[in-house]
């Protein structure tokens, strides 16, 4: 009858066989076994418990404590980890409560902030509605002013067009009068020249 292979846990969770024969069997690696599987099994043979006391800061201490809790969850009582060490201490609870009061707002503070935002939105909406009502009340006056300005601008435009047409007509008449004067001057000069030739 084949003997069962039994292991016991030391402080570092080394799975130490109890006889030399079993140690040789544990160290034997089948040549057909993939290296990845062999390395994985080798890593699982030894589990180092984290030393929480050697942590540099509270974040490192928290990380090691989580690692310790994971080891206890995997191996249970065989890991020789006390459950009291897994629970937060009074100092950690006090620090966490102070952080909650400092950084995490309470329901009352959240409600007050929501009420302030709602009141701000209501005031903005009220101001907008008041401004719209005032503008609608002034709308007839603005329409009348716009119509008066439009009529004034239309009259000014018509006046400018009429003045331009008059200037064009005056310019054409002046050109016409000047042309007629030049023609008459030429005719008079021709008559004078003919009279001088007749006298001679």
């Amino acid at each position: 009858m084949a003997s069962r292979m039994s292991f016991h846990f030391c402080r570092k969770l080394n799975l130490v066989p109890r006889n030399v024969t079993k140690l040789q069997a544990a160290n034997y690696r089948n040549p057909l076994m993939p290296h990845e599987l062999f390395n994985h099994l080798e890593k699982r043979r030894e589990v180092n418990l984290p030393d929480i006391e050697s942590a540099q800061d509270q974040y490192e201490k928290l990380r090691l404590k989580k690692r310790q809790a994971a080891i206890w969850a995997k191996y249970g009582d065989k890991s020789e980890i006390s459950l009291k060490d897994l629970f937060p201490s009074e100092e950690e609870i006090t620090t966490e409560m102070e952080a909650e009061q400092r950084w995490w707002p309470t329901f009352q503070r959240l409600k007050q902030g929501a009420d302030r935002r709602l009141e701000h939105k209501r005031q903005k909406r009220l101001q907008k509605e008041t401004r719209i009502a005032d503008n609608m009340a002034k709308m007839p006056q603005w329409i009348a002013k716009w119509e008066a300005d439009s009529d004034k601008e239309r009259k000014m435009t018509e006046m400018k067009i009429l003045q331009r047409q008059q200037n064009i007509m005056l310019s054409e008449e002046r050109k016409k009068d000047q042309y007629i004067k030049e023609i008459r001057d030429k005719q008079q000069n021709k008559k004078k020249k003919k009279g001088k030739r007749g006298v001679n």
Side-chain angles (χ1 to χ4, degrees):
M1 182 176 180
S3 60
R4 296 178 60 186
M5 185 179 296
S6 61
F7 299 91
H8 69 275
F9 281 85
C10 67
R11 184 58 183 167
K12 291 187 177 181
L13 294 185
N14 290 318
L15 300 178
V16 181
R18 294 185 177 178
N19 54 49
V20 178
T21 305
K22 293 173 183 177
L23 179 61
Q24 293 175 354
N27 287 335
Y28 172 75
R29 183 177 74 83
N30 188 349
L32 299 178
M33 181 185 295
H35 287 279
E36 293 81 3
L37 178 59
F38 177 75
N39 294 334
H40 178 68
L41 294 176
E42 286 292 322
K43 289 180 180 179
R44 290 175 64 89
R45 289 181 59 194
E46 180 177 350
V47 178
N48 295 323
L49 290 178
D51 187 7
I52 299 178
E53 301 299 331
S54 63
Q56 300 292 333
D57 52 10
Q58 58 179 354
Y59 303 106
E60 182 69 15
K61 185 177 181 179
L62 181 61
R63 188 182 67 81
L64 294 177
K65 203 166 187 178
K66 288 183 177 179
R67 172 62 180 161
Q68 196 177 40
I71 293 173
W72 181 87
K74 187 173 183 179
Y75 297 102
D77 295 335
K78 292 181 179 180
S79 62
E80 299 180 4
I81 297 175
S82 177
L83 288 176
K84 294 181 180 179
D85 298 338
L86 300 179
F87 286 97
S89 62
E90 294 182 0
E91 182 181 356
E92 292 175 350
I93 293 174
T94 304
T95 305
E96 188 68 20
M97 290 178 66
E98 290 177 356
E100 287 182 2
Q101 293 177 0
R102 183 176 180 182
W103 300 108
W104 299 344
T106 60
F107 176 75
Q108 288 77 11
R109 291 173 59 187
L110 291 175
K111 186 176 182 300
Q112 291 175 0
D115 292 340
R116 284 196 299 270
R117 289 192 294 271
L118 290 175
E119 181 65 20
H120 181 66
K121 288 182 179 180
R122 191 183 69 83
Q123 290 292 338
K124 287 183 67 176
R125 185 172 65 254
L126 183 61
Q127 292 177 1
K128 183 178 179 181
E129 292 175 355
T130 304
R131 186 170 65 253
I132 291 173
D134 294 340
N135 292 338
M136 291 301 294
K138 295 177 183 178
M139 189 63 68
Q141 181 181 357
W142 290 348
I143 291 174
K145 184 176 181 299
W146 177 78
E147 289 178 350
D149 293 342
S150 299
D151 292 340
K152 184 177 180 180
E153 185 176 359
R154 181 175 55 80
K155 289 179 181 179
M156 289 291 293
T157 304
E158 291 177 354
M159 188 182 299
K160 288 180 180 179
I161 292 173
L162 182 61
Q163 187 176 3
R164 184 180 179 185
Q165 290 177 354
Q166 290 177 356
N167 291 334
I168 292 172
M169 292 176 64
L170 288 173
S171 177
E172 289 178 353
E173 288 179 359
R174 287 174 184 174
K175 287 181 180 180
K176 185 176 180 180
D177 293 340
Q178 186 177 2
Y179 179 72
I180 292 173
K181 185 179 179 182
E182 288 177 356
I183 291 175
R184 286 178 179 176
D185 291 341
K186 286 181 180 180
Q187 290 178 354
Q188 287 179 1
N189 291 331
K190 286 181 180 180
K191 288 180 180 180
K192 287 179 180 181
K193 289 179 179 180
K194 286 181 180 179
K196 288 181 181 182
R197 288 177 183 177
V199 172
N200 293 330

